Amino acid sequence: MKAVILGATSGIGRSLARRLAESGSWVFLLGRDSEELAKSASDLEARHPNGLRVGFAACDLEAPDGFDEALNQAEGTMGGFDTVILTAAMFAPQEELAANSELAQRLMTVNFTNSVAFCECARKRLLAHGGGTLVVLSSVAGERGRKPVAIYGASKAGLSAYLEALDHTFHTSGLRVLDVRPGFVRTRMTADLTPPPFAGDPDGVAKDIQRALEGDTAVLHTPRIWGGIMGVVRRLPRAAMRRANF
């Protein structure tokens, strides 16, 4: 596998890069901090001193003008790629987003508008080479309108709707789309929040994604218990959702 990972310097992206490298994949790391990218690449090389192939380039999900250049560098280094993984995103509590319209606009731009723009750049390149796999981290927060994550959840709901449409449109052309919907995961992004029951960790989520890459799953809930939880939540009547603070 030749995998490009945006968001590879922390959390789930870092764990996934390590796992793919261990399995023999060629990984190309994308992130906004060049110093952290260099450290992450050096870390992978130190773990695999005998023949690991790793490259990196700066790419900021808040700067869409740089998406094509970053993917150009990945193509030039690897001679093409067959997998693109987007783990980068923004999160902020609903109270902060409701009080700060500038922050809310920024989050919606990063999590939806710019994420879709990056996916469009990636899917065009994958299809130009006969197809490949696009993996995107959405969230269980996008499956129902929920009071505690109204704005964040809406950004992820839009992203998941786009990913489903991509699957419908390009599946027969060779594009596989994997929509990953984690529940709460203990990462730097959620460090200030109290973990709820069934909270996951980055390496467990990365392990589930790696396993899903080997199959034909289109939507992955991780940790897996969230598949059952959201199966119930999707069926709750609106009156019950109004009363719940889930």
Side-chain angles (χ1 to χ4, degrees):
M1 181 187 300
K2 293 181 179 180
V4 180
I5 307 174
L6 175 53
T9 58
S10 65
I12 297 167
R14 173 175 284 174
S15 293
L16 191 53
R18 287 175 177 172
R19 285 187 163 276
L20 294 179
E22 287 170 1
S23 68
S25 295
W26 187 339
V27 293
F28 195 93
L29 315 178
L30 299 180
R32 61 183 176 182
D33 189 324
S34 296
E35 188 173 332
E36 285 298 317
L37 283 167
K39 287 180 182 176
S40 296
S42 296
D43 173 68
L44 289 177
E45 289 168 343
R47 290 167 182 264
H48 307 279
N50 299 317
L52 173 69
R53 295 170 294 181
V54 58
F56 65 89
C59 184
D60 186 348
L61 198 50
E62 292 197 77
D65 289 347
F67 294 167
D68 274 323
E69 175 55 30
L71 293 172
N72 282 343
Q73 291 188 50
E75 281 189 326
T77 300
M78 296 193 288
F81 46 77
D82 52 42
T83 303
V84 178
I85 302 167
L86 172 58
T87 68
M90 268 186 71
F91 177 81
Q94 175 60 24
E95 294 78 9
E96 289 185 29
L97 295 169
N100 186 337
S101 59
E102 186 175 332
L103 178 63
Q105 180 67 47
R106 182 181 165 211
L107 180 142
M108 290 186 286
T109 300
V110 168
N111 286 2
F112 179 69
T113 306
N114 291 0
S115 291
V116 169
F118 179 81
C119 290
E120 285 293 288
C121 292
R123 68 97 179 156
K124 290 173 183 173
R125 290 166 188 272
L126 291 169
L127 288 169
H129 293 88
T133 302
L134 178 63
V135 182
V136 182
L137 268 68
S138 183
S139 173
V140 297
E143 296 202 20
R144 288 293 303 266
R146 293 166 47 200
K147 290 183 284 187
V149 286
I151 295 174
Y152 173 78
S155 72
K156 292 296 189 178
L159 182 61
S160 283
Y162 161 76
L163 295 173
E164 183 179 359
L166 268 192
D167 177 74
H168 296 330
T169 307
F170 296 109
H171 182 74
T172 56
S173 300
L175 181 69
R176 181 192 172 198
V177 180
L178 175 54
D179 177 356
V180 180
R181 301 180 185 178
F184 188 99
V185 182
R186 298 182 187 89
T187 65
R188 188 168 58 189
M189 193 166 71
T190 60
D192 294 333
L193 304 177
T194 301
F198 315 122
D201 62 82
D203 199 52
V205 172
K207 183 178 180 180
D208 286 344
I209 294 171
Q210 185 180 28
R211 187 182 297 119
L213 279 168
E214 297 167 357
D216 59 0
T217 303
V219 177
L220 171 67
H221 290 91
T222 176
R224 291 187 176 274
I225 193 171
W226 281 96
I229 294 171
M230 297 314 297
V232 173
V233 171
R234 283 194 298 272
R235 290 168 175 78
L236 287 176
R238 182 166 295 218
M241 292 296 290
R242 285 180 183 142
R243 292 192 297 272
N245 195 36
F246 172 71

